[in-house]
Amino acid sequence: MIMLRRALGSFPRRHTIRLASSHRESWNSTEAPEVPVPEREGRVFVDTVFPVLLGKLDFRRYLVESRKNTLLTSLKERFKNVKTHDLQILSVDSHLKDGGVFVHFKYKATEEEEQALKSIEESLRKEARDNGGIATWLGPRIPNIWLVRGSPWTEDIIGRSASGILKVSFEGPDVPEETLYRVFRPYGRIEELTHATPVPAGTQRFSMIHFNRLGSATVARNVIYGMEVPTSGGPTRLRISYTSPIEAHVVRDWITNHPKIFLPVLFFLIGTLTYTIFDPIRVLMVEAKLLDWFDLKEFKIYKWLRANTLERLYSKSESLPADKQIWKEREDAERGIQAYLSDLPSTVTFVHGPQGSGKSTMIASALKSAERKSLIIDCRELSKASSDAQLVAGLAKQTGYWPIFSFLNSMNNLIDLASVGLIGQKAGLSRSVDEQLQQILDTVALALRNVSEKQHKDIAKKIQTREHDKPAEQSDKAERSRNEGSQNEKGNTPDIDQKRAQESQTSSTKTRKKKEKDVTEIQAVEALPIVVIRNFAGKAVREDLLNGLAQWAAKLAENQIAHVIVISDNRENSKKLAKALQSKPLNFVALYDADEASALAFVQEKLHEADVNVTMSREEKTYVQRLGGRSVDLESLINKVRTGMDVKEAVEDIISRGVGELRKNAFGDDAEDAKNLPWTRGQAWTLLDLLSKNSEVPYHQVLVDYPFKGDEAPLRSMEHAELITIATHDGRPTVIRPGKPVYRWVFERLVNDPIFRATQEIEFNNRLVSIAETTIQSSEEELLKLAEIAKRGSSSWLSGDALSKRSHYLMNKMMESERKLESLEKKNTELKKTLSKFST
């Protein structure tokens, strides 16, 4: 019949099919067939089966992933019991993002589609309600079941999360607000509904709907998406999407539009965060470095393990006692350091002496004997920094300052440049190197004060413990002695006894107060840490670092925060410290080279400790004396003798090596290199020639004559280069000595080199020749002028006498310059013969 109906339906209605009479009779004799009920399909949306995911990082998606199939199967089995309109479940599809499930079904109904779907919707709700709900991710619950009125889009785009605000786009004419309200209101209370606003051409107009609950928005979006709404202009298809409560780039746009408000507030918050969080941590880390909190050797368990393992298996050999004569040159310096450390600081101690004179060794010995906390800053290590960031990081490492964010400095500079373009001025986030160094030093000063207070408390606690541990016998003994004294004085009158008792009590009170005061002062001194600044004003050390350290050292001493000892190779380097300590003089401690006897005893003692049996002859002792008392050269001699050299050969090797170093450092490799030196070759040659013949030369005699002519800068530069040493008396330079004792022999060896001597003297004489020629030429020009004046016939006999005297002076000066010129040219001729002789 169906096939027949389809076949009949293909003909036009105006045609009639006539059947045979036999067929008509049989048709009429049977009952009319039943009209089949059409099958239809539909969907419902079941909410709250899964959680509504709120973003990419919502971990609940992983909790329900394993139970998804179980929940979907349970839901399908529950809805199979509904038989309204021959309901058959076709599929159950989850929509995890919005927390719901789409149930796809088919049914048969003769009534209108809308009424049939409503009855099915009600039956499904009744089935869930009557059977205690359905299984959800939180357990059995009674969910809401909604009839899907559009064509849902079950996307799983991760970047799009559910929101309580829906953007309803119109694919067609605009939908009035009243219609939108009637469509969306059944799913929840609406807080705001905006009318469609003008949009750029080519884009769809839309309205915004704000629900008061997130679940209402998710249900409305899944149920109504793709629904066609009739309007006066025709049907309009609704496309719905979620919109974040905060629009994209709102914060960024506000910051861009209000930089003068945002940037100062941001920098204030960053500065406050740094001050409140990082600065206390940095102070604590500096204290940890001073108190050895992280030093493994200071842990009790380490000491116990070492005492019970290594020290039992291996016994440390005792070193031989050092000969006191070796260190007699340092005794005065050590006494000066100990005197400074035994009193409250009011100034800075400046320890100076030539390189290799044992300054660091003496300070290390003083620190060890003091048994106090110390902090050492080495300027030579800081001078190796190739950039500002490395300099700051190096100072922070030596002081224990941590954490430090040196890599942010360049970023801060970029922020400052950007802020100039935005608000017209720098943000102030970046800081100069001086400010960064000063911040580190201020933090270290605060940590030093804290360490001093903690040490003071620890010392006071130890003294109190010792006082409590004193045996009570002392008090009993004192009581017995007082009783015996009172018995012996029973014959005295009561007034005399009372008077003596009062005097005794007053005396004991004064003694006790004085003792307590002395103990308090001793505690205050012993609690102070010691700061040692090594290699102050060494080569290539930055001026800003030295000035900052000088100001910091002065502040530590003046405020009695710590004892400060500054070590330098040159007394002249104390000027920065003296400038920082304007009201107090520096405490100078000088170390000089040991004398010949001490140097010889030092070498013999060290060789004896190294098990090298060397019996020195008189000649070898004379060679050792050539090295003087500089410990660096003596140590080099000892090392060479240990390797198998004899004393004479080792000393000659040290002198030969010094000749090569001196030739390069004092004269340069070539003429171009010599131009970069802060002194001329003639000035260096003059000093070397004088010091090769004398152990010392007067300072002002060298300064007055050529080639210095009153210029002290070359002499100071050569002193900084350690070529010479300038001795002072009452703060005034007096004599010039070689930079090291061995330089006396190095100078002599270099000056006696005929080739080198000839080249340097020829160059030096050429300059003198040039000066003499200039003098002669200027004298000739002046004599010609005097002759011209005399031709004019001056009538005054006084003027004639003045011309005669001036002419006589110039003639003598010319004669002296001419004689000097001839002598210099004669010397140069002989020197050139020497050069040609040795070159052949």
Side-chain angles (χ1 to χ4, degrees):
M1 291 298 294
I2 295 174
M3 297 296 293
L4 179 61
R5 183 178 296 163
R6 291 180 178 175
L8 292 176
S10 62
F11 292 96
R13 292 182 179 272
R14 66 176 180 268
H15 296 284
T16 304
I17 300 175
R18 298 183 178 273
L19 300 175
S21 57
S22 59
H23 289 286
R24 287 200 302 270
E25 291 176 357
S26 61
W27 179 276
N28 293 330
S29 62
T30 59
E31 296 181 357
E34 295 181 0
V35 179
V37 179
E39 289 184 349
R40 301 171 184 172
E41 294 183 0
R43 285 189 181 90
V44 293
F45 182 75
V46 184
D47 64 359
T48 68
V49 178
F50 303 106
V52 178
L53 301 181
L54 302 177
K56 300 178 182 178
L57 303 179
D58 196 337
F59 67 92
R60 294 179 297 175
R61 69 173 75 239
Y62 306 107
L63 298 178
V64 302
E65 186 67 31
S66 60
R67 299 182 56 198
K68 182 179 69 172
N69 295 332
T70 303
L71 295 177
L72 294 179
T73 302
S74 175
L75 179 65
K76 187 174 182 179
E77 293 296 329
R78 177 57 53 84
F79 285 167
K80 281 184 178 180
N81 298 329
V82 179
K83 299 301 181 181
T84 304
H85 297 299
D86 295 334
L87 181 70
Q88 295 184 16
I89 305 300
L90 298 178
S91 64
V92 179
D93 301 321
S94 63
H95 190 27
L96 295 179
K97 280 183 58 178
D98 291 346
V101 176
F102 286 100
V103 180
H104 186 201
F105 59 86
K106 67 178 181 179
Y107 65 96
K108 296 179 181 179
T110 56
E111 55 189 277
E112 294 183 1
E113 182 178 3
E114 184 176 356
Q115 293 179 356
L117 290 174
K118 285 184 178 180
S119 62
I120 292 174
E121 180 184 17
E122 185 61 32
S123 299
L124 292 174
R125 288 179 179 175
K126 185 175 182 301
E127 176 67 19
R129 186 170 55 252
D130 294 344
N131 292 278
I134 61 176
T136 66
W137 73 290
L138 290 177
R141 296 182 62 183
I142 301 177
N144 288 325
I145 300 174
W146 309 91
L147 186 64
V148 177
R149 303 172 65 184
S151 53
W153 180 30
T154 57
E155 47 82 18
D156 59 350
I157 301 175
I158 298 176
R160 298 181 182 180
S161 302
S163 171
I165 303 175
L166 297 181
K167 177 182 178 182
V168 184
S169 302
F170 306 137
E171 191 175 320
D174 290 352
V175 179
E177 292 182 358
E178 297 83 356
T179 305
L180 286 176
Y181 180 80
R182 287 195 300 270
V183 172
F184 284 90
R185 179 60 183 85
Y187 306 102
R189 182 172 293 278
I190 298 174
E191 293 184 351
E192 181 64 29
L193 191 153
T194 62
H195 186 66
T197 56
V199 294
T203 58
Q204 295 178 350
R205 291 164 63 86
F206 61 89
S207 291
M208 305 294 293
I209 300 177
H210 297 244
F211 283 94
N212 67 337
R213 292 177 62 251
L214 179 64
S216 301
T218 58
V219 171
R221 194 262 181 187
N222 287 280
V223 170
I224 299 177
Y225 187 94
M227 176 183 175
E228 290 186 354
V229 178
T231 62
S232 59
T236 297
R237 185 179 178 87
L238 303 181
R239 296 188 178 275
I240 307 172
S241 61
Y242 296 115
T243 302
S244 301
I246 299 178
E247 296 181 3
H249 311 305
V250 170
V251 177
R252 184 194 67 184
D253 295 340
W254 186 89
I255 292 173
T256 306
N257 296 330
H258 303 83
K260 293 185 178 181
I261 299 175
F262 173 75
L263 291 179
V265 173
L266 175 63
F267 301 144
F268 173 77
L269 293 176
I270 293 175
T272 304
L273 181 67
T274 303
Y275 178 78
T276 56
I277 295 179
F278 292 116
D279 279 2
I281 296 176
R282 289 162 178 163
V283 172
L284 188 65
M285 295 304 294
V286 176
E287 293 180 19
K289 181 178 180 62
L290 287 167
L291 298 175
D292 297 326
W293 288 350
F294 304 128
D295 189 0
L296 180 63
K297 296 180 180 179
E298 296 296 326
F299 291 171
K300 292 183 179 179
I301 186 171
Y302 175 85
K303 293 179 179 179
W304 182 86
L305 289 174
R306 183 177 180 84
N308 290 275
T309 54
L310 294 177
E311 292 182 0
R312 290 192 176 185
L313 296 175
Y314 303 99
S315 59
K316 186 177 180 180
S317 59
E318 296 182 358
S319 58
L320 295 174
D323 188 356
K324 293 296 181 182
Q325 187 183 10
I326 299 174
W327 309 110
K328 69 179 183 179
E329 284 76 17
R330 301 181 187 173
E331 289 182 357
D332 294 339
E334 289 182 356
R335 283 195 294 268
I337 294 294
Q338 291 173 359
Y340 173 71
L341 296 179
S342 62
D343 196 4
L344 291 175
S346 59
T347 184
V348 176
T349 293
F350 187 81
V351 181
H352 65 94
Q355 186 177 8
S357 57
K359 300 183 295 296
S360 299
T361 305
M362 184 200 68
I363 296 299
S365 177
L367 294 179
K368 185 177 181 181
S369 61
E371 295 182 353
R372 286 158 57 181
K373 302 302 179 183
S374 60
L375 178 67
I376 299 176
I377 298 176
D378 194 346
C379 296
R380 182 173 297 170
E381 293 297 325
L382 296 178
S383 65
K384 298 178 182 178
S386 59
S387 63
D388 294 342
Q390 291 185 2
L391 175 63
V392 174
L395 181 61
K397 183 179 180 180
Q398 290 188 16
T399 57
Y401 182 90
W402 185 89
I404 180 172
F405 308 107
S406 57
F407 65 91
L408 293 178
N409 193 36
S410 58
M411 187 181 299
N412 294 336
N413 292 331
L414 294 177
I415 293 175
D416 269 354
L417 293 176
S419 66
V420 171
L422 290 174
I423 63 178
Q425 62 183 6
K426 288 187 177 182
L429 194 61
S430 63
R431 292 173 298 174
S432 63
V433 180
D434 295 343
E435 293 174 343
Q436 296 180 57
L437 296 176
Q438 190 61 42
Q439 181 185 6
I440 294 176
L441 295 176
D442 291 342
T443 303
V444 174
L446 181 59
L448 289 170
R449 186 182 293 276
N450 295 343
V451 169
S452 177
E453 294 176 355
K454 292 179 180 179
Q455 292 292 103
H456 193 281
K457 292 179 181 178
D458 292 342
I459 294 172
K461 188 181 296 184
K462 291 179 181 178
I463 293 176
Q464 291 178 0
T465 304
R466 288 199 298 266
E467 291 292 335
H468 288 307
D469 291 342
K470 284 183 178 179
E473 296 179 357
Q474 295 182 0
S475 59
D476 297 339
K477 184 177 180 181
E479 185 67 26
R480 287 196 300 268
S481 63
R482 286 197 296 268
N483 293 335
E484 290 175 359
S486 62
Q487 291 176 3
N488 294 331
E489 297 175 356
K490 281 183 179 180
N492 299 331
T493 61
D495 295 337
I496 296 175
D497 294 341
Q498 186 177 3
K499 185 177 180 180
R500 290 181 177 177
Q502 291 178 354
E503 291 178 354
S504 177
Q505 185 177 1
T506 304
S507 177
S508 62
T509 302
K510 291 181 180 180
T511 304
R512 185 177 68 255
K513 289 182 178 180
K514 184 179 179 181
K515 184 178 180 181
E516 290 177 355
K517 183 179 179 181
D518 294 341
V519 170
T520 303
E521 292 179 355
I522 293 173
Q523 290 178 8
V525 172
E526 292 180 351
L528 292 178
I530 302 172
V531 176
V532 179
I533 303 177
R534 298 176 54 189
N535 301 311
F536 187 77
K539 297 179 181 179
V541 180
R542 296 176 49 156
E543 289 294 325
D544 51 358
L545 174 63
L546 296 178
N547 292 329
L549 288 174
Q551 296 290 339
W552 180 65
K555 182 176 68 173
L556 293 180
E558 290 177 345
N559 296 329
Q560 296 184 348
I561 298 175
H563 286 96
V564 183
I565 300 175
V566 180
I567 306 175
S568 181
D569 296 337
N570 195 334
R571 181 187 173 92
E572 295 297 323
N573 297 330
S574 64
K575 292 181 179 179
K576 292 182 175 60
L577 288 169
K579 185 178 179 181
L581 279 168
Q582 297 181 357
S583 60
K584 300 289 180 65
L586 289 174
N587 180 31
F588 286 97
V589 175
L591 270 80
Y592 299 104
D593 296 325
D595 57 15
E596 295 178 354
S598 298
L600 186 60
F602 175 77
V603 173
Q604 290 176 341
E605 181 69 24
K606 290 295 182 180
L607 291 176
H608 176 70
E609 291 180 359
D611 296 331
V612 178
N613 295 323
V614 177
T615 303
M616 294 188 184
S617 62
R618 178 173 297 181
E619 183 183 8
E620 289 177 336
K621 290 181 180 179
T622 304
Y623 270 90
V624 172
Q625 292 173 356
R626 291 186 178 185
L627 300 180
R630 187 64 56 87
S631 61
V632 173
D633 295 329
L634 296 177
E635 290 284 354
S636 178
L637 171 65
I638 293 167
N639 292 332
K640 292 179 182 296
V641 174
R642 285 176 180 174
T643 58
M645 287 186 179
D646 58 16
V647 175
K648 181 178 178 180
E649 184 182 1
V651 173
E652 286 294 332
D653 183 68
I654 293 174
I655 295 175
S656 300
R657 185 182 60 186
V659 169
E661 293 176 355
L662 185 66
R663 183 183 289 112
K664 175 180 175 60
N665 295 333
F667 299 93
D669 292 330
D670 49 28
E672 189 66 27
D673 191 19
K675 294 179 181 180
N676 299 324
L677 297 174
W679 57 81
T680 63
R681 284 183 171 181
Q683 292 170 340
W685 174 253
T686 300
L687 276 180
L688 263 65
D689 192 17
L690 291 173
L691 292 174
S692 65
K693 302 171 184 176
N694 306 283
S695 59
E696 60 184 31
V697 293
Y699 178 83
H700 292 285
Q701 179 182 346
V702 174
L703 186 65
V704 171
D705 294 337
Y706 179 83
F708 293 96
K709 288 292 185 179
D711 187 8
E712 293 183 309
L715 290 175
R716 300 297 180 183
S717 298
M718 282 190 273
E719 184 183 22
H720 280 286
E722 299 177 358
L723 300 178
I724 61 174
T725 300
I726 300 176
T728 58
H729 179 70
D730 294 335
R732 174 177 55 83
T734 55
V735 294
I736 300 175
R737 299 189 183 99
K740 294 193 295 184
V742 72
Y743 274 2
R744 166 75 183 280
W745 307 97
V746 173
F747 292 167
E748 182 179 347
R749 185 76 57 84
L750 191 62
V751 169
N752 292 332
D753 184 356
I755 299 294
F756 186 77
R757 182 182 183 87
T759 55
Q760 295 302 320
E761 286 194 350
I762 289 174
E763 183 179 353
F764 184 75
N765 292 340
N766 286 336
R767 292 183 178 274
L768 293 177
V769 167
S770 178
I771 294 173
E773 289 177 347
T774 303
T775 302
I776 293 172
Q777 185 177 0
S778 62
S779 299
E780 289 174 347
E781 291 176 355
E782 189 173 354
L783 285 172
L784 291 175
K785 290 180 181 180
L786 293 175
E788 190 68 27
I789 293 173
K791 287 181 181 180
R792 293 179 182 178
S794 176
S795 58
S796 174
W797 64 272
L798 293 175
S799 60
D801 187 52
L803 291 174
S804 176
K805 288 184 177 180
R806 183 62 180 171
S807 299
H808 184 69
Y809 170 76
L810 292 175
M811 293 295 292
N812 290 334
K813 189 175 182 180
M814 285 179 61
M815 181 62 67
E816 183 181 352
S817 298
E818 179 64 25
R819 290 171 181 170
K820 186 182 294 185
L821 180 62
E822 292 176 358
S823 174
L824 291 172
E825 289 182 348
K826 183 178 180 180
K827 288 182 180 179
N828 282 350
T829 303
E830 294 176 355
L831 291 172
K832 289 177 181 178
K833 291 180 180 179
T834 302
L835 286 177
S836 61
K837 176 182 177 181
F838 280 95
S839 61
T840 57

